[in-house]
Amino acid sequence: MAKNLRQPPPSSSVVRLLDPDAVARAVAPSPPSPGRSDTCRSGACEVQSAQIVKRELALCAETDVTFERLIQALRRASGTRLSASHALRAVVRALAPHLRSIELETVRRGPRRMPGNAAGAVAERHAFETQLAECIAAGVRANPPPQ
């Protein structure tokens, strides 16, 4: 199980992947480009052409199965051939309104030491990721969408 830290962990490129500000920037609308926008029927909104940022993610077998199940469920329900990128972008957009409460929940639970990538650290990585998932779920529950 992950241990509480006495000092905040150092910043690294991996930590930036979990930085709420970085996620907010990733899902923020891109600046308007001339001649590349469409107006909605009501005229109240514009859809910008999105700049694609390529990222590589490493999933464990269990997470890959879950992600594939999510993709298949969205494909069946929407009747489309959406890609893994569509599904992940949708998940990030769904979490975007909750970033502050997710961050507060993570801070409330205290800093953690990230486990290593060695083959023998599988259980520690699983526990660490489970704790992050619990923080995300608690943050989403703490900030329900307006109805």
Side-chain angles (χ1 to χ4, degrees), residues 7-128:
Q7 299 174 347
S11 178
S12 72
S13 59
V14 174
V15 172
R16 284 193 300 270
L17 289 174
L18 303 175
D19 178 18
D21 293 330
V23 174
R25 287 191 305 273
V27 297
S30 60
S33 56
R36 299 283 315 247
S37 64
D38 299 322
T39 304
C40 295
R41 288 186 193 146
S42 66
C45 65
E46 290 186 20
V47 177
Q48 305 297 327
S49 68
Q51 179 184 3
I52 300 298
V53 177
K54 298 264 185 176
R55 291 207 181 247
E56 183 177 318
L57 301 171
L59 304 177
C60 65
E62 176 189 1
T63 306
D64 184 54
V65 168
T66 303
F67 189 50
E68 189 60 36
R69 288 179 57 206
L70 171 67
I71 295 166
Q72 292 303 324
L74 290 171
R75 284 176 180 162
R76 279 191 308 273
S78 68
T80 63
R81 295 184 331 163
L82 64 96
S83 68
S85 294
H86 290 113
L88 182 60
R89 286 192 298 265
V91 168
V92 171
R93 283 193 176 115
L95 292 176
H98 306 282
L99 290 178
R100 183 66 182 143
S101 58
I102 292 168
E103 179 182 20
L104 290 172
E105 182 62 28
T106 306
V107 167
R108 185 185 73 75
R109 294 182 185 216
R112 301 283 175 194
R113 182 177 311 277
M114 202 164 78
N117 287 328
V122 173
E124 291 84 7
R125 281 194 306 274
H126 187 269
F128 177 76

